[in-house]
Amino acid sequence: MTNRRAVFLDLAPLDQGDLDLSSLQGVFDELTCHEHTAPQDIVERLQGAQVAIVNKVALDAEALAACPSLELILVSATGVNNIDLNAAREHGITVCNCQGYGTATVAQHTLALLLALAIRLPDYQRAVEAGRWQETGHFCLLDFPIVELEGKTLGLLGHGELGSAVARLAEALGMRVLIGNLPGRPERAGRLSLDELLPQVDALTLHCPLTDATRNLIGARELALLKPTAFVINAARGGLIDEQALADSLRSGHLGGAATDVLTVEPPVNGNPLLAGDIPRLIITPHSAWGSREARQRIVGQLAENASAFFAGTPKRQVG
């Protein structure tokens, strides 16, 4: 039997030293892990390997052509836009991803962002740090309007596994949930067009993939349709919201607040309209919604499952 050799090109985003990798190590005769891999080192590191494991490292047609021993690519994420699927198919390389591992974690992060906006958590925290509570002479500081979510309406764009989980959490808070119909998809009973949905909601959360049809799904026109008190939350993909339009809307005071865990370019090394220091009522987290230890450990388990299934001749979670 051929020696089963695998190379993990970018383990660092997945493992913070807190994961058990034994299930994955047990599938292979040899597993070499690199914290990061620069583009110029990809081909050299994959020579002689049957399996490449990647998170965000890009495997393009040139790299795949230069790795003749490669049979399987395991992606330690759901998105596979970093893999040239056509080239993989041409070279007979199977590609498998991970799915549904972070539903609970991302759902709770989404709700946390909504709650933080509703209770103005960052504003109150900064006020206490600045000594404003201590200076009031009162037992409480109520400088920032607090919104009670019970009885309010949440709009969802994307109602798959993750959107459904967010809906359940919102309903537990007493919110009414409406679902929008995504562009490029057939209309479904009970789902509203954007023009119908947006004026009704007190909060809008996004849980859909980034495609040509959903890029800049929420732009200046759509933001203008929202109530001036509405919250907008994106824990899905950067690019779903026009970032400049969102910054402008917040500056103008039109929105009640916004929160995002994702940006169009990550990390935002060349800046981003939402990183300007003068945007009020905006929370940004660094693509961390998925990152609980439990969710990351599930990824390790799915990588091991996908590899074992491939070697057994029954590929699991195959894409492309």
Side-chain angles (χ1 to χ4, degrees), residues 59-120:
L59 297 180
D60 58 18
E62 183 178 356
L64 296 180
C67 299
S69 63
L70 206 59
E71 301 174 7
L72 173 66
I73 298 171
L74 299 175
V75 181
S76 61
T78 301
V80 293
N81 55 301
N82 55 322
I83 311 298
D84 188 326
L85 295 177
N86 290 329
R89 194 176 303 111
E90 290 172 5
H91 291 285
I93 301 171
T94 300
V95 180
C96 301
N97 69 349
C98 297
Q99 302 168 14
Y101 53 86
T103 299
T105 299
V106 177
Q108 78 175 19
H109 192 94
T110 301
L111 196 69
L113 293 176
L114 176 57
L115 288 166
L117 290 171
I119 66 176
R120 300 292 289 269

Side-chain angles (χ1 to χ4, degrees), residues 3 21 80 87-88 123 188 206 208 248 269 275 278 286 293 300 305:
N3 186 55
L21 301 180
V80 293
D123 296 304
R188 295 178 61 176
L206 280 65
C208 50
D248 293 342
V269 291
L275 295 179
D278 65 335
R293 187 198 62 77
V300 174
E305 289 174 3

Side-chain angles (χ1 to χ4, degrees), residues 106 122 137 225 262 264:
V106 177
L225 291 174
V262 288
T264 50

Side-chain angles (χ1 to χ4, degrees), residues 13 15 38 63 67 82 137 144 164 183 235 258 260 269 298:
D15 185 14
C67 299
N82 55 322
F144 309 103
S164 299
T260 185
V269 291
R298 287 188 202 104

